[in-house]
Amino acid sequence: MKKLTIILSLTIVALFCCQCATSKQYRQAMKGAKSIPFKTLENYYVRNDVKHDQLQRFIFDNQQDFDAVFGPAALMGGLPTDINWKRQFVVAVLLPETNRPTMVTPMDVKQSPGNIIFYYQVNRGRKTSYTLVPFAAVALDRSVDPQQLQVFYIEK
């Protein structure tokens, strides 16, 4: 019993330390962060061969990687949002598959040196008989190498 208590205590302390480090990094990123323009990607769907059982976060800097996760959904009266890969990159968040109609709406994107902060809102509906993979994706201007950025995803 004593061993279990010690292990549980160490686990809690470790989780608390990780949270403090993340909070500190986030506070550092917020210093001097300014809202930047973004383009919400519309008329795309998450491919069914992508893992759907957990929250996933992505930074895409090329068409091939993007196409491995998303497919274009040509709807009546709407084409998929065009992405200029030479000038833009994509930041995306995928929520786990759900049987509730769920809207994930990008609210704001802020940038500070070396950091991007992506704010999004999640609205969930009532249970249905079908499932879907909710997501939000935005195209951002390529001011620096996207792989050198640290991205913070904040659900409002």
Side-chain angles (χ1 to χ4, degrees):
M1 183 70 173
K2 190 174 181 181
K3 263 187 173 178
L4 180 63
T5 305
I6 292 171
I7 291 172
L8 186 59
S9 298
L10 290 174
T11 304
I12 290 171
V13 168
L15 288 173
F16 180 73
C17 290
C18 291
Q19 183 62 33
C20 289
T22 302
S23 296
K24 185 177 179 182
Q25 291 171 331
Y26 174 69
R27 285 192 305 273
Q28 282 294 111
M30 283 302 296
K31 287 184 180 177
K34 295 183 180 178
S35 290
I36 59 172
F38 63 91
K39 181 168 50 169
T40 302
L41 300 187
E42 296 179 357
N43 297 334
Y44 286 95
Y45 66 91
V46 178
R47 293 170 44 119
N48 63 2
D49 57 349
V50 173
K51 189 174 181 181
H52 300 124
D53 62 348
Q54 63 186 9
L55 178 72
Q56 297 181 69
R57 299 167 173 145
F58 295 99
I59 300 175
F60 298 105
D61 62 356
N62 63 65
Q63 182 80 42
Q64 278 183 313
D65 293 343
F66 181 80
D67 289 345
V69 176
F70 294 102
L75 302 172
M76 285 184 13
L79 294 173
T81 306
D82 189 38
I83 305 165
N84 181 342
W85 291 103
K86 290 182 181 178
R87 293 185 179 176
Q88 297 174 315
F89 67 98
V90 172
V91 175
V93 60
L94 278 67
L95 276 56
E97 185 174 35
T98 181
N99 64 346
R100 296 177 181 264
T102 305
M103 293 292 299
V104 185
T105 308
M107 301 301 288
D108 193 16
V109 179
K110 294 187 178 198
Q111 184 174 16
S112 63
N115 300 294
I116 296 286
I117 302 137
F118 177 32
Y119 294 94
Y120 61 92
Q121 182 176 22
V122 178
N123 293 317
R124 292 177 176 86
R126 296 180 184 207
K127 288 185 179 180
T128 63
S129 60
Y130 61 89
T131 62
L132 59 98
V133 179
F135 74 93
V138 295
L140 303 171
D141 289 337
R142 203 184 273 262
S143 57
V144 295
D145 180 14
Q147 299 305 323
Q148 300 299 318
L149 292 171
Q150 178 166 359
V151 180
F152 295 91
Y153 297 81
I154 310 298
E155 181 177 330
K156 286 188 165 187

